[in-house]
Amino acid sequence: GTMKRFRRHGHESQRDKHKQDLYQFNKTVEHGFPHQPSALGFSPSLQLLAIGTRSGAIKLYGAPGVEFMGLHDENAAVTQVHFLPNQVHAPPSVTRVTAVLAHSSGELLLLGTEGGHVFVLRFVIADLFTATFSRIPEDYVGRRNLECVETLHENPLNPRQVLIGYSRGLMVLWDLDRQRPIQHFLGTQQLESVWWMEDGENILSSHSDGSYCQWTVTGEDPQTEPEKQEMPYGSFPCKAISKVIQLPSKQGPPFLIFSGGMPRASYGDRHCISVIHSKTHEALDFTSRIIDFFVIREGPSALVVLVEEELIVVDLQTEGWPVIQTPYLVPLHCSAITCSHHVSSIPLKLWERVQAAGAQQNTHYSKKPWPINGGQNLAPDPPQRDLLLTGHEDGTVRFWDASGVCLYPMYKLSTAGVFLTDADPNDNMNQGSEGEWPPFRKVGCFDPYSDDPRLGIQKIHLCKYSGYLTVAGTAGQILVLELNDEAAEQTVEATVVDLLQGQEGFRWKGQARLDVREEPVLFPPGFQPFALVQCQPPAVVTAIALHSEWKLVAFGTSHGFGFYDYHQRNNILVKCTLNPSDQMALEGPLSRVKSIKKSLRQSFRRIRRSRVSMRKHHTNNALQEINARLEAEALQEMELAPVQRKIEARSSDDSFTGLVRTLYFADTFVSDSSHSTPSLWAGTNGGAVFAYVLRVPSLERRAEDPVVAHAAKEIQLMHRAPVVGLVVLDGKGAPLPEPLEVAHDLARSPEMHGSHHLLVVSEEQFKLFTLPKVSSKSKLKLTAVDGSRVRRVGVAWFGSRTDEQLESSLVVLTNQGELHVISLPSIKMMVHYPCIRREDVSGIASCVFTKYGQGFYLISPSEFERFSLSTRWVVEPHCLVEAPLQMRPKNPSSPVHRDQPDGVPTEHRCVCSCVIVQKPLFPSCC
């Protein structure tokens, strides 16, 4: 017995080592735009940009690929971010005031920070108050106090002088050495901001009434009137100018830049920054509330604006002030993301063609390079070209370069042009017209309003070898597109498919289908639609599959499935899976939600047209909350809630039993064990699997002879759990290759001599069947007690860092937010890791796996978290920021390696300190 135990232990050790060689879980990088940004900072010396958020995150960005991230333990909003110059010790990149001591001497203020540092400040507040009040006329002071300190500004020519601005309008020029005021400026309007001009002699102040003033330093004290007062947008009541700056230019007059100041009644809901230079005056009209902005001074070269939903950089040196394309912080949620699709190892030719199509869309961007270039990106070039495709509520599909740390936009496809929608081309109220005052110019791409929710993209499948793409939408529409390098005018042929098969007694109560344009449409270079399948009833498309070698596309809804021959442009098969008692599927679970959304959308469009004076971000927040609540209700209707129970049979009258969850093409043994044939497999919500044998004509006869299909098999799982995945394994237990993959010499031919197996993945178990007999061979139950269900499943290839050999596995995400890797063909649990909070239903639903053991899921409407299960394929930041020479210590120490919160090692060397101010800043007792 001892020998047996010893041998088994040795086997387990070897198996554990094998797991360690192949699998390792890391959350590696966050792509996209930070959710709810609240503060902006910039270091000109380090060329680093910092963004703080309402949840306590702080993100630093330099050159593309240079990224750092920190997160506070508590959920407290970051209200200000400041880089401390000449700080050579490297404290944590986030420093928060945690303790305050007013020294008994009355001269010192001690601030303790969360990093263990203590800052000692001279405590001179009492003297400042006394000295200030003694020099101010009594009629100015009145009974009011000075109110809060609104702003502090350093003299650009003399750092020992500081301008202190109080919110009631008073500004005091303070001498830090002599501890006394030098001059007082008696503003009469509430103060918003100040700007000290570079000559050191003039100060600008902006105010709550939409005016700004210019004051002269070293003049009379107190100065009761400004040298100049301007109301840029007229004498009608205006909104506050929240920030003003003025910078000299190399040629000509200075640049005057300010935010706000719009006429309150007419344009109070606009989010504007005005730029005035010589005779050019533009009111840059942004898509959401302005958080902050700064100007990169050399030239000045660029205006960097952080708004609530995106970061925008305006080139101030090129005529027309075009926008510079951002290499990171791109707003993924320009329109709400509805689905995702990842494609690994894109062939160079396809990559270049997509890139070229995207370049023709981006001619309006500035040709200037990205102006923020701090740090060094030490990460090696990505080993392959990867695409992430995101589908959106407005009917667009966006192509992203997902090869490296930066998720970079490559190309945007719009499907709306195929259909007649209620979009009004004149509905864009933000676009300025010739001679309009104020001179508005719309800037930014965030646009959450969809003109027709039926356009929303639900499923995407791209064949990287042939360049064919299929996308499916919310109203039963399936488009087949082909990549074309030239613009083309063409009519899209529509084929209507009746999934109810003429059954009587059924009446669809959901949305109507989209109307197709009958006239030819001019499509730009890129992916162009040439065929359209329209399902009736026009329910949400729940599954698609594309086989570009056979030129077939399969589609499914809650009513059934079919497949379409896009070579001959006709439909081959329709199968109704609807349970006669399933009325829910006929009402359309989203019909009520969509109708409410439509009425909301129309209301908001009316609001925009009437231009009522209200804060747009409040409207957006309200819409997002309503959308989230309605989508949660829809999800409850669509899915059965997780329950604490063992796997058990479900009654056949459960709602949506006929909903098609997965479709799969395979060349395998269906009828007999000696001849393989093309086949289509479909899995439903009620635990049924349907198999059809296909007769696909030879290449020579493909255009003439029809594709023929006939039913071959039907499997009904005893526990009736929804079928979420189907995979056929070849004679060696490997998943069948993708269509055209073997033809392009990128995969070995499948083993056709041994027995093939069908792996059926339901929400609750993995079951292996032999083919063609379809007899059960083995199974793995996910769990019996905690209510775990499979939510996402994919096939991935894993390999160690040292061995070229790859092995296939299943990767699974459950409704508990746990990741599992399951071996093939033995279907044994290899490893599992917690990944997503189980309460984060939308994050779990958004997850997409890659072919090589990585994945993406939404951590907010605008951000993807990237993770890796593989030791071999990991995409993560590897970067270095070196301080300028004057900031380095005399005895430089060795580089400090510090772990990021997500476990990613990042190298730091002499990093500039960054102070984060949060709410609440001080303990309540102070």
Coordinates of all heavy atoms in Angstrom, one line a residue, residues 390-467:
T390 N -16.1 45.2 -31.1 CA -17.2 45.5 -30.2 C -18.4 45.9 -31.0 O -18.3 46.7 -31.9 CB -16.8 46.6 -29.2 OG1 -16.3 47.7 -29.9 CG2 -15.7 46.1 -28.2
G391 N -19.6 45.3 -30.6 CA -20.8 45.7 -31.2 C -21.5 46.7 -30.3 O -21.3 46.7 -29.1
H392 N -22.2 47.7 -30.9 CA -22.8 48.8 -30.1 C -24.3 49.0 -30.4 O -24.8 48.5 -31.4 CB -22.0 50.1 -30.5 CG -20.5 50.0 -30.1 ND1 -20.0 50.5 -28.9 CD2 -19.5 49.4 -30.8 CE1 -18.7 50.3 -28.9 NE2 -18.4 49.6 -30.0
E393 N -24.9 49.7 -29.5 CA -26.3 49.9 -29.5 C -26.8 50.7 -30.8 O -27.9 50.6 -31.2 CB -26.8 50.7 -28.3 CG -28.3 50.7 -28.1 CD -28.7 51.5 -26.8 OE1 -28.2 52.7 -26.7 OE2 -29.5 51.0 -26.1
D394 N -25.9 51.5 -31.3 CA -26.2 52.4 -32.5 C -26.0 51.6 -33.8 O -26.1 52.2 -34.9 CB -25.5 53.7 -32.5 CG -24.0 53.5 -32.6 OD1 -23.5 52.3 -32.6 OD2 -23.2 54.5 -32.7
G395 N -25.7 50.3 -33.8 CA -25.5 49.6 -35.0 C -24.2 49.6 -35.6 O -23.9 49.2 -36.7
T396 N -23.2 50.1 -34.8 CA -21.8 50.1 -35.3 C -21.0 48.9 -34.7 O -21.4 48.3 -33.7 CB -21.1 51.4 -34.9 OG1 -21.1 51.5 -33.5 CG2 -21.7 52.6 -35.5
V397 N -20.0 48.5 -35.5 CA -19.0 47.6 -35.0 C -17.6 48.2 -35.1 O -17.3 48.8 -36.1 CB -19.0 46.3 -35.9 CG1 -17.9 45.3 -35.4 CG2 -20.4 45.6 -35.9
R398 N -16.9 48.2 -34.0 CA -15.6 48.9 -33.9 C -14.5 47.9 -33.8 O -14.6 46.9 -33.0 CB -15.6 49.9 -32.7 CG -16.6 51.1 -32.9 CD -16.8 51.9 -31.7 NE -18.0 52.7 -31.9 CZ -18.0 54.0 -32.2 NH1 -16.8 54.6 -32.4 NH2 -19.1 54.7 -32.4
F399 N -13.5 48.1 -34.6 CA -12.4 47.2 -34.6 C -11.2 47.8 -33.8 O -10.8 48.9 -34.1 CB -11.9 47.0 -36.1 CG -12.8 46.1 -36.9 CD1 -14.1 46.5 -37.2 CD2 -12.4 45.0 -37.5 CE1 -15.0 45.8 -38.0 CE2 -13.2 44.2 -38.3 CZ -14.5 44.6 -38.5
W400 N -10.7 47.0 -32.9 CA -9.6 47.5 -32.0 C -8.4 46.7 -32.2 O -8.5 45.4 -32.2 CB -10.0 47.5 -30.5 CG -11.3 48.2 -30.3 CD1 -12.6 47.7 -30.3 CD2 -11.5 49.6 -29.9 NE1 -13.5 48.6 -30.0 CE2 -12.9 49.8 -29.8 CE3 -10.7 50.6 -29.7 CZ2 -13.5 51.0 -29.4 CZ3 -11.2 51.9 -29.3 CH2 -12.6 52.0 -29.2
D401 N -7.2 47.3 -32.2 CA -5.9 46.6 -32.2 C -5.7 46.2 -30.7 O -5.4 47.0 -29.9 CB -4.8 47.5 -32.7 CG -3.4 46.9 -32.6 OD1 -3.3 45.7 -32.0 OD2 -2.5 47.5 -33.0
A402 N -5.9 44.9 -30.5 CA -5.8 44.4 -29.1 C -4.5 43.6 -28.9 O -4.4 42.7 -28.0 CB -7.0 43.5 -28.8
S403 N -3.5 43.9 -29.7 CA -2.3 43.1 -29.7 C -1.4 43.4 -28.4 O -0.7 42.5 -27.9 CB -1.4 43.4 -30.9 OG -2.2 43.3 -32.1
G404 N -1.5 44.7 -28.0 CA -0.6 45.1 -26.9 C -1.3 45.8 -25.8 O -2.5 45.6 -25.6
V405 N -0.6 46.6 -25.0 CA -1.1 47.2 -23.8 C -2.2 48.3 -24.2 O -3.2 48.4 -23.5 CB 0.0 47.8 -23.0 CG1 -0.5 48.7 -21.9 CG2 0.9 46.8 -22.4
C406 N -2.0 49.0 -25.3 CA -2.9 50.0 -25.7 C -4.0 49.4 -26.6 O -3.6 48.7 -27.6 CB -2.2 51.1 -26.4 SG -1.1 52.1 -25.4
L407 N -5.2 49.6 -26.3 CA -6.3 49.1 -27.1 C -6.6 50.3 -28.1 O -7.2 51.3 -27.7 CB -7.6 48.8 -26.3 CG -8.7 48.1 -27.0 CD1 -8.3 46.7 -27.4 CD2 -9.9 48.0 -26.1
Y408 N -6.1 50.1 -29.4 CA -6.1 51.2 -30.3 C -7.2 51.1 -31.4 O -7.3 50.0 -31.9 CB -4.7 51.3 -31.0 CG -4.5 52.5 -31.8 CD1 -4.2 53.7 -31.1 CD2 -4.6 52.6 -33.1 CE1 -4.0 54.9 -31.8 CE2 -4.4 53.7 -33.9 CZ -4.1 54.9 -33.2 OH -3.9 56.1 -33.9
P409 N -8.0 52.1 -31.6 CA -9.0 52.0 -32.6 C -8.5 52.0 -34.0 O -7.6 52.7 -34.4 CB -9.8 53.4 -32.4 CG -8.9 54.3 -31.8 CD -7.9 53.5 -31.0
M410 N -9.0 51.0 -34.8 CA -8.5 50.8 -36.2 C -9.5 51.2 -37.2 O -9.2 51.8 -38.2 CB -8.1 49.3 -36.4 CG -6.8 48.9 -35.7 SD -6.4 47.2 -36.1 CE -5.9 47.3 -37.8
Y411 N -10.8 50.8 -37.0 CA -11.8 51.0 -38.0 C -13.2 50.9 -37.4 O -13.4 50.2 -36.4 CB -11.6 49.8 -39.1 CG -12.7 49.6 -40.0 CD1 -13.0 50.5 -41.1 CD2 -13.5 48.5 -39.9 CE1 -14.0 50.3 -41.9 CE2 -14.6 48.3 -40.8 CZ -14.8 49.2 -41.8 OH -15.9 48.9 -42.7
K412 N -14.1 51.6 -38.0 CA -15.5 51.6 -37.5 C -16.4 51.3 -38.7 O -16.4 51.9 -39.7 CB -15.9 52.9 -36.9 CG -17.3 52.9 -36.3 CD -17.7 54.3 -35.7 CE -18.1 55.3 -36.7 NZ -18.7 56.5 -36.1
L413 N -17.3 50.3 -38.5 CA -18.3 49.9 -39.4 C -19.7 50.3 -38.9 O -20.0 50.0 -37.8 CB -18.2 48.3 -39.6 CG -19.5 47.7 -40.2 CD1 -19.6 48.0 -41.7 CD2 -19.4 46.1 -40.0
S414 N -20.5 50.9 -39.8 CA -21.8 51.3 -39.4 C -22.8 50.5 -40.3 O -22.7 50.4 -41.5 CB -22.1 52.8 -39.6 OG -23.4 53.1 -39.3
T415 N -23.8 49.9 -39.6 CA -24.8 49.1 -40.4 C -26.1 49.9 -40.6 O -27.0 49.4 -41.3 CB -25.1 47.8 -39.6 OG1 -25.7 48.1 -38.4 CG2 -23.9 46.9 -39.4
A416 N -26.2 51.1 -40.0 CA -27.4 51.9 -40.0 C -27.8 52.2 -41.5 O -29.0 52.4 -41.8 CB -27.3 53.1 -39.2
G417 N -26.8 52.4 -42.4 CA -27.1 52.9 -43.7 C -27.9 51.9 -44.5 O -28.6 52.2 -45.5
V418 N -28.0 50.6 -44.1 CA -28.8 49.6 -44.8 C -30.3 49.8 -44.6 O -31.1 49.4 -45.4 CB -28.3 48.2 -44.3 CG1 -29.2 47.1 -45.0 CG2 -26.9 48.0 -44.6
F419 N -30.6 50.4 -43.5 CA -32.0 50.5 -43.0 C -32.5 51.9 -43.0 O -31.8 52.9 -43.0 CB -32.1 49.9 -41.6 CG -31.6 48.5 -41.5 CD1 -30.3 48.3 -40.9 CD2 -32.3 47.4 -41.9 CE1 -29.8 47.0 -40.8 CE2 -31.8 46.1 -41.8 CZ -30.5 45.9 -41.3
L420 N -33.9 52.0 -43.1 CA -34.6 53.3 -42.9 C -34.9 53.4 -41.4 O -35.6 52.6 -40.9 CB -35.9 53.3 -43.7 CG -35.7 53.3 -45.3 CD1 -37.1 52.9 -45.9 CD2 -35.2 54.6 -45.8
T421 N -34.3 54.5 -40.8 CA -34.6 54.7 -39.4 C -35.2 56.1 -39.2 O -35.2 56.9 -40.1 CB -33.2 54.6 -38.6 OG1 -32.4 55.7 -39.0 CG2 -32.5 53.3 -38.8
D422 N -35.6 56.3 -38.0 CA -36.1 57.7 -37.7 C -35.1 58.7 -37.4 O -35.4 59.7 -36.8 CB -37.2 57.6 -36.6 CG -36.6 57.0 -35.3 OD1 -35.4 56.7 -35.3 OD2 -37.3 56.9 -34.3
A423 N -33.8 58.4 -37.8 CA -32.8 59.4 -37.5 C -33.0 60.7 -38.4 O -33.3 60.6 -39.5 CB -31.4 58.8 -37.9
D424 N -32.9 61.8 -37.7 CA -33.1 63.1 -38.4 C -31.7 63.6 -38.7 O -30.9 63.9 -37.7 CB -33.9 64.0 -37.5 CG -34.1 65.4 -38.1 OD1 -33.6 65.6 -39.3 OD2 -34.8 66.2 -37.5
P425 N -31.3 63.8 -39.9 CA -29.9 64.3 -40.2 C -29.7 65.7 -39.7 O -28.6 66.1 -39.4 CB -29.9 64.3 -41.8 CG -31.3 64.3 -42.2 CD -32.0 63.5 -41.2
N426 N -30.8 66.4 -39.4 CA -30.6 67.8 -38.8 C -30.8 67.8 -37.3 O -30.9 68.8 -36.6 CB -31.7 68.7 -39.3 CG -31.6 68.8 -40.9 OD1 -30.5 69.0 -41.4 ND2 -32.7 68.7 -41.5
D427 N -30.8 66.5 -36.7 CA -31.0 66.4 -35.2 C -29.8 66.8 -34.4 O -29.8 66.9 -33.2 CB -31.4 65.0 -34.9 CG -32.0 64.8 -33.5 OD1 -32.5 65.9 -33.0 OD2 -31.9 63.8 -33.0
N428 N -28.6 66.9 -35.1 CA -27.4 67.2 -34.3 C -27.3 68.6 -34.0 O -26.8 69.5 -34.7 CB -26.2 66.8 -35.1 CG -24.9 66.8 -34.3 OD1 -24.9 67.3 -33.2 ND2 -23.8 66.3 -34.9
M429 N -27.9 69.0 -32.8 CA -28.0 70.4 -32.4 C -26.7 71.0 -32.0 O -26.5 72.2 -31.9 CB -29.0 70.5 -31.3 CG -30.3 69.9 -31.5 SD -31.1 70.6 -32.9 CE -31.4 72.3 -32.3
N430 N -25.6 70.1 -31.8 CA -24.4 70.6 -31.3 C -23.5 71.2 -32.4 O -22.5 71.9 -32.2 CB -23.6 69.5 -30.6 CG -24.2 69.2 -29.2 OD1 -24.8 70.1 -28.7 ND2 -24.0 68.0 -28.8
Q431 N -23.8 70.8 -33.7 CA -22.9 71.2 -34.8 C -23.1 72.7 -35.1 O -24.2 73.1 -35.3 CB -23.1 70.3 -36.0 CG -22.0 70.4 -37.0 CD -20.7 70.0 -36.5 OE1 -20.5 69.0 -35.8 NE2 -19.7 70.9 -36.7
G432 N -22.0 73.4 -35.1 CA -22.1 74.8 -35.4 C -22.4 75.1 -36.9 O -22.0 74.3 -37.8
S433 N -23.0 76.2 -37.2 CA -23.2 76.6 -38.6 C -22.5 77.9 -38.9 O -22.2 78.7 -37.9 CB -24.7 76.7 -38.9 OG -25.3 77.6 -38.0
E434 N -22.4 78.3 -40.1 CA -21.7 79.5 -40.5 C -22.3 80.7 -39.9 O -23.5 80.9 -40.0 CB -21.7 79.5 -42.1 CG -20.7 80.6 -42.6 CD -19.2 80.1 -42.4 OE1 -19.0 78.9 -42.4 OE2 -18.4 81.0 -42.3
G435 N -21.5 81.5 -39.3 CA -22.0 82.8 -38.7 C -22.7 82.7 -37.4 O -23.2 83.6 -36.9
E436 N -22.8 81.5 -36.8 CA -23.5 81.3 -35.6 C -22.7 81.9 -34.4 O -21.5 81.9 -34.4 CB -23.7 79.8 -35.3 CG -24.5 79.5 -34.1 CD -24.5 78.0 -33.8 OE1 -23.8 77.2 -34.4 OE2 -25.3 77.6 -32.9
W437 N -23.4 82.4 -33.5 CA -22.8 83.0 -32.3 C -23.5 82.4 -31.0 O -24.7 82.5 -31.0 CB -22.8 84.5 -32.3 CG -22.1 85.1 -31.1 CD1 -22.6 85.5 -29.9 CD2 -20.7 85.2 -31.0 NE1 -21.6 85.9 -29.1 CE2 -20.4 85.8 -29.7 CE3 -19.6 84.9 -31.8 CZ2 -19.1 86.0 -29.3 CZ3 -18.3 85.2 -31.4 CH2 -18.1 85.8 -30.1
P438 N -22.8 81.9 -30.1 CA -21.4 81.6 -30.1 C -20.9 80.6 -31.2 O -21.7 79.8 -31.6 CB -21.2 81.0 -28.7 CG -22.3 81.4 -27.9 CD -23.5 81.5 -28.8
P439 N -19.7 80.7 -31.6 CA -19.2 79.9 -32.7 C -18.9 78.5 -32.3 O -17.7 78.1 -32.1 CB -17.9 80.7 -33.1 CG -17.4 81.3 -31.9 CD -18.6 81.7 -31.1
F440 N -19.9 77.7 -32.2 CA -19.8 76.3 -31.7 C -19.1 75.4 -32.7 O -19.3 75.6 -33.9 CB -21.2 75.7 -31.4 CG -21.8 76.3 -30.2 CD1 -23.0 77.0 -30.3 CD2 -21.3 76.2 -28.9 CE1 -23.7 77.6 -29.2 CE2 -21.9 76.8 -27.8 CZ -23.1 77.4 -28.0
R441 N -18.3 74.5 -32.2 CA -17.8 73.4 -33.0 C -17.8 72.1 -32.2 O -17.2 72.1 -31.1 CB -16.3 73.7 -33.4 CG -15.6 72.6 -34.1 CD -14.2 72.9 -34.4 NE -13.3 71.7 -34.3 CZ -12.1 71.8 -34.0 NH1 -11.5 72.9 -33.7 NH2 -11.4 70.6 -33.9
K442 N -18.5 71.1 -32.6 CA -18.7 69.9 -31.8 C -17.3 69.2 -31.8 O -16.7 69.0 -32.8 CB -19.7 69.0 -32.4 CG -20.0 67.8 -31.6 CD -21.1 66.9 -32.1 CE -21.2 65.7 -31.2 NZ -22.0 64.6 -31.7
V443 N -16.9 68.7 -30.6 CA -15.7 68.0 -30.4 C -16.0 66.7 -29.6 O -16.7 66.8 -28.6 CB -14.6 68.9 -29.7 CG1 -13.3 68.1 -29.5 CG2 -14.4 70.1 -30.5
G444 N -15.4 65.6 -30.0 CA -15.5 64.4 -29.2 C -16.5 63.4 -30.0 O -17.2 63.8 -30.9
C445 N -16.4 62.1 -29.5 CA -17.2 61.1 -30.2 C -18.2 60.4 -29.3 O -19.0 59.6 -29.8 CB -16.2 60.1 -30.8 SG -15.3 59.2 -29.6
F446 N -18.3 60.8 -28.0 CA -19.2 60.1 -27.1 C -20.7 60.5 -27.5 O -21.0 61.7 -27.6 CB -19.0 60.5 -25.7 CG -20.0 60.0 -24.7 CD1 -20.0 58.6 -24.4 CD2 -20.9 60.8 -24.1 CE1 -20.9 58.1 -23.5 CE2 -21.8 60.3 -23.2 CZ -21.8 58.9 -22.9
D447 N -21.5 59.6 -27.8 CA -22.9 59.8 -28.2 C -23.7 58.7 -27.8 O -23.9 57.7 -28.5 CB -23.0 60.0 -29.7 CG -24.4 60.4 -30.1 OD1 -25.2 60.7 -29.2 OD2 -24.7 60.4 -31.3
P448 N -24.3 58.7 -26.6 CA -25.1 57.6 -26.0 C -26.4 57.4 -26.7 O -27.1 56.4 -26.4 CB -25.2 57.9 -24.5 CG -25.2 59.4 -24.5 CD -24.3 59.9 -25.6
Y449 N -26.9 58.4 -27.5 CA -28.2 58.3 -28.0 C -28.3 57.5 -29.3 O -27.6 57.7 -30.3 CB -28.7 59.7 -28.3 CG -28.7 60.6 -27.1 CD1 -27.7 61.5 -26.9 CD2 -29.8 60.6 -26.2 CE1 -27.7 62.4 -25.8 CE2 -29.7 61.4 -25.1 CZ -28.7 62.3 -24.9 OH -28.7 63.1 -23.8
S450 N -29.1 56.4 -29.3 CA -29.3 55.6 -30.5 C -30.6 55.9 -31.1 O -31.6 56.0 -30.4 CB -29.2 54.1 -30.1 OG -29.6 53.3 -31.2
D451 N -30.6 56.2 -32.4 CA -31.8 56.6 -33.0 C -32.8 55.5 -33.1 O -34.0 55.8 -33.2 CB -31.5 57.2 -34.4 CG -30.7 58.5 -34.4 OD1 -31.3 59.4 -33.7 OD2 -29.6 58.6 -34.9
D452 N -32.3 54.3 -33.1 CA -33.3 53.1 -33.1 C -32.6 52.0 -32.4 O -31.6 51.4 -32.9 CB -33.6 52.8 -34.6 CG -34.8 51.9 -34.7 OD1 -35.0 51.0 -33.8 OD2 -35.6 52.0 -35.7
P453 N -33.1 51.6 -31.3 CA -32.5 50.5 -30.5 C -32.5 49.1 -31.3 O -31.7 48.3 -30.9 CB -33.3 50.4 -29.3 CG -34.7 51.0 -29.6 CD -34.4 52.0 -30.6
R454 N -33.3 49.0 -32.3 CA -33.3 47.8 -33.1 C -32.0 47.6 -33.9 O -31.7 46.5 -34.3 CB -34.5 47.7 -34.1 CG -35.9 47.7 -33.4 CD -37.0 47.9 -34.4 NE -37.0 49.1 -35.1 CZ -37.7 49.4 -36.1 NH1 -38.6 48.6 -36.5 NH2 -37.6 50.6 -36.7
L455 N -31.3 48.7 -34.1 CA -30.0 48.6 -34.8 C -28.9 47.8 -33.9 O -27.9 47.4 -34.5 CB -29.5 50.0 -35.1 CG -30.3 50.7 -36.2 CD1 -29.8 52.2 -36.2 CD2 -30.1 50.1 -37.6
G456 N -29.1 47.7 -32.6 CA -28.1 47.2 -31.7 C -27.5 45.9 -32.2 O -28.2 45.0 -32.6
I457 N -26.2 45.8 -32.1 CA -25.5 44.6 -32.6 C -25.4 43.6 -31.4 O -25.0 43.9 -30.3 CB -24.0 44.9 -33.0 CG1 -24.0 46.0 -34.1 CG2 -23.3 43.6 -33.5 CD1 -24.7 45.6 -35.4
Q458 N -25.9 42.3 -31.7 CA -25.9 41.3 -30.7 C -24.9 40.2 -30.9 O -24.4 39.6 -29.9 CB -27.3 40.7 -30.6 CG -28.4 41.6 -30.3 CD -28.3 42.2 -28.9 OE1 -27.8 41.5 -28.0 NE2 -28.7 43.4 -28.6
K459 N -24.5 39.9 -32.1 CA -23.5 38.8 -32.4 C -22.6 39.2 -33.5 O -23.1 39.9 -34.5 CB -24.3 37.5 -32.7 CG -25.1 36.9 -31.6 CD -24.3 36.4 -30.5 CE -25.2 36.0 -29.3 NZ -24.4 35.5 -28.1
I460 N -21.4 38.8 -33.4 CA -20.4 39.1 -34.5 C -19.5 37.9 -34.7 O -19.2 37.2 -33.8 CB -19.4 40.3 -34.0 CG1 -20.2 41.5 -33.6 CG2 -18.4 40.6 -35.1 CD1 -19.3 42.6 -32.9
H461 N -19.2 37.6 -36.0 CA -18.3 36.6 -36.3 C -17.5 37.0 -37.6 O -18.1 37.3 -38.6 CB -19.0 35.2 -36.6 CG -18.1 34.1 -36.7 ND1 -18.1 33.0 -35.7 CD2 -17.0 33.8 -37.5 CE1 -17.2 32.2 -36.0 NE2 -16.5 32.6 -37.0
L462 N -16.2 37.0 -37.4 CA -15.3 37.4 -38.5 C -14.4 36.2 -38.9 O -13.8 35.6 -38.0 CB -14.4 38.6 -38.1 CG -13.2 38.9 -39.0 CD1 -13.7 39.5 -40.3 CD2 -12.2 39.9 -38.3
C463 N -14.3 35.9 -40.2 CA -13.4 34.9 -40.7 C -12.1 35.7 -41.1 O -12.2 36.4 -42.1 CB -14.0 34.1 -41.8 SG -12.8 33.0 -42.6
K464 N -11.1 35.4 -40.5 CA -9.8 36.2 -40.7 C -9.1 35.7 -42.0 O -8.3 36.4 -42.5 CB -8.9 36.1 -39.6 CG -8.4 34.6 -39.3 CD -7.6 34.6 -38.0 CE -7.1 33.2 -37.7 NZ -6.5 33.1 -36.4
Y465 N -9.5 34.6 -42.5 CA -8.9 34.0 -43.7 C -9.5 34.5 -45.0 O -8.9 34.8 -46.0 CB -8.9 32.5 -43.7 CG -8.2 32.0 -42.5 CD1 -9.0 31.3 -41.5 CD2 -6.9 32.1 -42.2 CE1 -8.4 30.8 -40.4 CE2 -6.3 31.6 -41.1 CZ -7.1 30.9 -40.1 OH -6.5 30.4 -39.0
S466 N -10.9 34.6 -45.0 CA -11.6 35.0 -46.2 C -12.0 36.5 -46.2 O -12.3 37.0 -47.3 CB -12.9 34.2 -46.3 OG -13.7 34.5 -45.2
G467 N -12.0 37.2 -45.1 CA -12.4 38.5 -45.0 C -13.9 38.7 -45.0 O -14.5 39.8 -45.2

